[in-house]
Amino acid sequence: TSAVVLHSKRLHITRAAIEAGSARLAQEVQVLEHHPLEQVALLAAQPLRAGQNYTLSIQYLANLSESFHGFYKSTYRTQEGELRTLVATQFEPTAARMAFPCFDEPAFKARFSITIRREPKHLALSNMPIVKSVNLTPWLVEDHFATTVKMSTYLVAFIVSDFKSISKITSRGVKISVYTVPDKIDQAGYALDAAVKLLDFYEDYFSIPYPLPKQDLAAIPDFQSGAMENWGLTTYRESALLYDPKKSSASSKLWITMVIAHELAHQWFGNLVTMEWWNDLWLNEGFAKFMEFLSVSVTHPELRVEDSFLRRCFDAMEVDALNSSHPVSTPVEDPAQILEMFDDVSYEKGSCILNMLRDYLTADVFKAGLVQYLQKYSYQNTKNEDLWNSMANANDQNIFFPFQICPTVGTDKNELQADGFCRTSQQSSSNAHWTQRETLDVKAMMDTWTLQKGFPLVTVTVRGKNVHLQQERYVKGVDSPSSTGYLWHIPLTYITSKSDTVQRFLMTTKADVIILPEEVEWIKFNVDMNGYYIVHYKDDGWDRLINLVKQNHTVISSNDRASLINNVFQLVRIKRLSISKAFDLTLYLKHERQIMPVLQGMHELIPIYRLMERRDMDGTEKQLQEYIVNLFKDLIEKQSWSDEGSVSERLLRHSLLLFACVHRYQPCVDKAKGYFTEWQKSNGTLSLPADVKTAVYVVGAQTSEGWDFLLSKYRLPSFNVERNNIELALSLSRSKDKLQWLMDQGLRGDIIRTQDLPSITIHVARNPSGYHLAWKFLKENWEKLVEKFELGSNSLAGIVTGVTSRYSTRSHLAEVKEFFSSLEEKSAQLRCVQQALETIEDNIQWMDRNFEEVKTWLQNNHL
């Protein structure tokens, strides 16, 4: 060939030359650009020979990017109000080509040698430490960084700034530093300690030392996503890294710890071993998401991450139930499609199916499989099946796992069968045996979860001792295509009224039967919701479970209760159960004290109220609001307005008080008003408890003076860790002018950072005074939003689905359809647009079908 094709985007190439390995003669080459494919071709005069080494040298110029990707500019103000500039990079997935010409695909791994010139007042950071700095002139320094290990282009990073840092050395000698703007360095301590603990944990868990001499964590003032795992230089938005012990809330501590755990997990999953192409992005993201949960539960047990794991599976199911969903592993080609992969299916669903697999294989086998996978493919690229093969190998080598026919449930645990035996109870305290008939095929099982979209609905019919099971795909919506052709290998688990020992059964067919040793009062499948599937109980199955939680809800775990609440409302959506039945279950919540089921109850009931609130509903929505407040009234009354208690108790307090104040529960509103007045009198110096602040701000922002006062504090650097709370409060104002101003400022980006515009727009859309403003704003500024956040990005998708998620009328549907079909094809075909339309259709049907019944139920059930 005589052409070399590289990726290049918005780079102005001034000269390119090529030289063969031995000939020290560089020949100039011709440069052709192809903008649509973001490529350049370098044409050599003589053909290039296979097997020969060539060196390309390219001179080019480019402007710094104005968006959040590529090599971009970020600014911040010092305490004194001086505006300062820094530059940083964000290359994943396809923006390294905006900084230098390269083979910008994950499978082209290379070593990178980076040199940066800067002014003496700045410092430069990159993936590796600096090996030497040369003073070229009194005002120019050249930093030479050590050559990186073999890695993909999207992981290259560099920053030039005036950041300050603090450092510690891990037990294995890796230097960890946290870099922030100088004024915020006193908020870096928590992240530094967490990073040291977590890096030590991963080195130990994976049995592979971290291969670089250092790991920097840098807080970037303007940052689109949460964080980025660049090897040796992870970058974060400030709210995902900076923690102020005096002002930050419990949820902020949990979030920061999880994000650091996520990025550090990537140093192995993603950086050391990388997916071959973006279709298997979940091998990076699903894993990092799952490892957050695994690592933090060991390094920071007090954060009780297990209380928040279920929520992510429910969130994933919400989009995965739509027809516009996609398999975890799905073909993608252009940059917008690649960006669309960074969604709940790759991250959340990915982590949930890994959790299910770990529960199924046992923690030890799962860990052995991961370690084998990472060791075998270090510095290489992988596909889905490489992981399954490693898991299967680990399983075969595991002596505790002889897969013969196991005795049916209820026989003595140590009873031997004629043709083999089951694991004995001592060897597997946590894992009772899997009842199954053939050797485990990890690949066959996991392919059913990664190569087809959606998830199964298992229907359970009890006939005496026989439990009949059926599986089908769960799909929302009327004209949804039939679910034939979908089949999963489902690792079912269950407990019964007679035995709380978890029984296990691998279901690989459309229908099956389990025979119990004796008849039972009730049976609960998917114990602790470890499986990614939902369950319907036919005949009186639900009534029995509803009676169980009404009489004594603590018989089953809080995760089990949360999953019943979730499942019952999902079954209403597909007409398997009446809305009355779902509401009957919620009555028990009056006695619930645990965070998971309480938040799940709110998560199901509040959106129903919000749908009704959007339409003039003859007062029914008021009754529903009263019902929800009354359900949780006792619990709200019990909350102290302080920061004491465990993290879960603090998170629950934060949610309950915010809920009570937003839904105008008078005792809460009065108390919050009192606090706000005191705080305003002190000119914002009074220290409010971190977990009740949001509720206080929300109530304060309801008056015009309160709103203006909050905004004046928002603009001060000393309130930076509270920015997100204040933004929420400001966007719950009833003044349309104020709401419009917030969104306009978010787009301008000086008072409110543009990185925060997506969440502000969604808050405004959820506000009854703002939902049409948010839609109008999206329509009028679509081009600008695409330019800032990129087509296909999670930020843009969040705005589209967030602004439209509460629509439930035909006219709204027509309007949304009309707007998106008027755009050019790339925008009109975005997955988030399909999700938005399906959700509105689903809401319309839900209201048509259930409104009258909710009204009647509420009239008959006064709390």
Side-chain angles (χ1 to χ4, degrees), residues 434-453:
W434 285 94
T435 311
Q436 65 148 47
R437 308 201 164 65
E438 67 282 333
T439 317
L440 174 69
D441 183 342
V442 179
K443 183 179 180 305
M445 170 177 157
M446 292 311 288
D447 278 352
T448 69
W449 297 97
T450 57
L451 303 181
Q452 52 187 357
K453 63 183 177 186

Side-chain angles (χ1 to χ4, degrees), residues 610 614 662 694 697-698 700-702 707 710-711 714 723-743 752 756-771 773-774:
R610 293 285 181 210
R614 290 277 176 279
V662 166
T694 320
Y697 292 163
V698 163
Q702 295 302 306
W707 196 92
L710 264 173
L711 179 67
Y714 174 84
R723 280 230 160 117
N724 296 1
N725 296 338
I726 299 179
E727 280 166 5
L728 172 64
L730 294 175
S731 41
L732 289 175
S733 164
R734 276 171 278 188
S735 151
K736 294 189 166 56
D737 293 344
K738 285 181 166 20
L739 297 175
Q740 187 62 47
W741 184 88
L742 280 176
M743 294 188 292
I752 294 173
D756 298 331
L757 177 62
S759 62
I760 287 177
T761 311
I762 295 165
H763 292 323
V764 171
R766 290 192 173 157
N767 177 344
S769 309
Y771 78 104
L773 293 177

